[in-house]
Amino acid sequence: MFNITSGSECMESDYSPEQIKVEKNKTISKKRQPKKLDAQRNKDGKNKKQLIIEASQKLIAERGIRNCNIAKIAKNAGVVDSILYHYFVNKEDLLFATLAEQLKKASEELETHLFGIVDPMSKLGKVIWYHLHMNDYDTEFARITKHLLLECRSKKAFYQHECFSILREYVNDVRLILEEG
């Protein structure tokens, strides 16, 4: 405890030396509170993490994984390099998150295509059609997914990342359809 002077009087306070009384019921601490970066949005309403992942997807599709670095991804996302490290531990973590987004998108689209199909053979045909369609008509998506799957699966950390569980879920869904058919 220490004394705070308020006007001409001196009073004892419960505030620690790390806090300074600014105005009634508000204090500033020397310890910096982390910002809630996920809530920060750009003018289009997208959060910065999503912008970074989209920029990563675009660059991987255009240049491949080897020719992408954090600075290029940050520039494409319209953020500074240091912001990437608020969301991702390193480039590897960003790659895993990018693959996770690709897999979530594929899973949602496949689920939409399978909606209402009851017959196992029809489901199997739709799964095969979906993957061939994605390979032929959404070449950017297919190229990103293939590159990332090959790159990420060779990393030991991938098997502890959330992305691996998303991949397992997707593969399990397809496996169940194959078993039915």
Side-chain angles (χ1 to χ4, degrees):
M1 292 218 254
F2 64 99
N3 294 331
I4 296 179
T5 315
S6 174
S8 59
E9 56 189 26
C10 186
M11 58 185 202
E12 201 165 333
S13 173
D14 293 329
Y15 294 104
S16 68
E18 294 162 349
Q19 296 177 321
I20 303 169
K21 182 97 169 152
V22 176
E23 55 186 71
K24 189 176 183 179
N25 299 326
K26 291 188 179 179
T27 59
I28 297 176
S29 175
K30 286 184 181 178
K31 292 182 181 179
R32 187 172 165 237
Q33 298 297 319
K35 293 181 180 179
K36 294 185 178 180
L37 293 174
D38 285 336
Q40 291 184 358
R41 300 190 179 280
N42 72 349
K43 59 187 171 189
D44 298 328
K46 293 183 179 178
N47 69 27
K48 289 183 181 181
K49 184 176 183 178
Q50 190 60 38
L51 287 173
I52 294 165
I53 289 172
E54 288 173 6
S56 173
Q57 290 170 340
K58 182 180 176 193
L59 283 174
I60 290 169
E62 290 174 1
R63 302 177 181 185
I65 293 171
R66 302 272 184 239
N67 297 322
C68 291
N69 61 34
I70 293 292
K72 289 176 186 174
I73 293 169
K75 185 177 179 182
N76 255 19
V79 298
V80 293
D81 299 13
S82 60
I83 291 292
L84 270 77
Y85 295 105
H86 286 285
Y87 297 107
F88 308 102
V89 177
N90 52 28
K91 182 181 175 184
E92 186 176 83
D93 187 38
L94 173 58
L95 293 178
F96 297 162
T98 303
L99 178 58
E101 284 296 312
Q102 292 291 105
L103 292 171
K104 286 176 188 175
K105 179 183 173 188
S107 185
E108 289 169 4
E109 286 181 6
L110 184 57
E111 187 177 321
T112 301
H113 286 288
L114 291 172
F115 181 75
I117 299 176
V118 180
D119 179 49
M121 291 304 286
S122 297
K123 281 184 180 180
L124 184 58
K126 186 56 103 170
V127 167
I128 294 168
W129 172 87
Y130 172 75
H131 284 93
L132 291 174
H133 177 79
M134 292 302 290
N135 194 55
D136 293 342
Y137 295 102
D138 195 349
T139 54
E140 182 177 301
F141 177 84
R143 188 173 34 246
I144 293 167
T145 306
K146 287 175 193 173
H147 285 298
L148 285 171
L149 268 173
L150 291 173
E151 182 71 24
C152 293
R153 288 179 58 205
S154 66
K155 309 280 185 192
K156 208 175 185 179
F158 173 69
Y159 298 96
Q160 280 75 44
H161 197 273
E162 170 200 13
C163 182
F164 180 65
S165 61
I166 294 169
L167 176 62
R168 284 182 64 176
E169 187 178 311
Y170 181 78
V171 169
N172 190 45
D173 290 345
V174 173
R175 183 186 58 80
L176 290 172
I177 292 168
L178 286 170
E179 286 176 359
E180 280 181 42

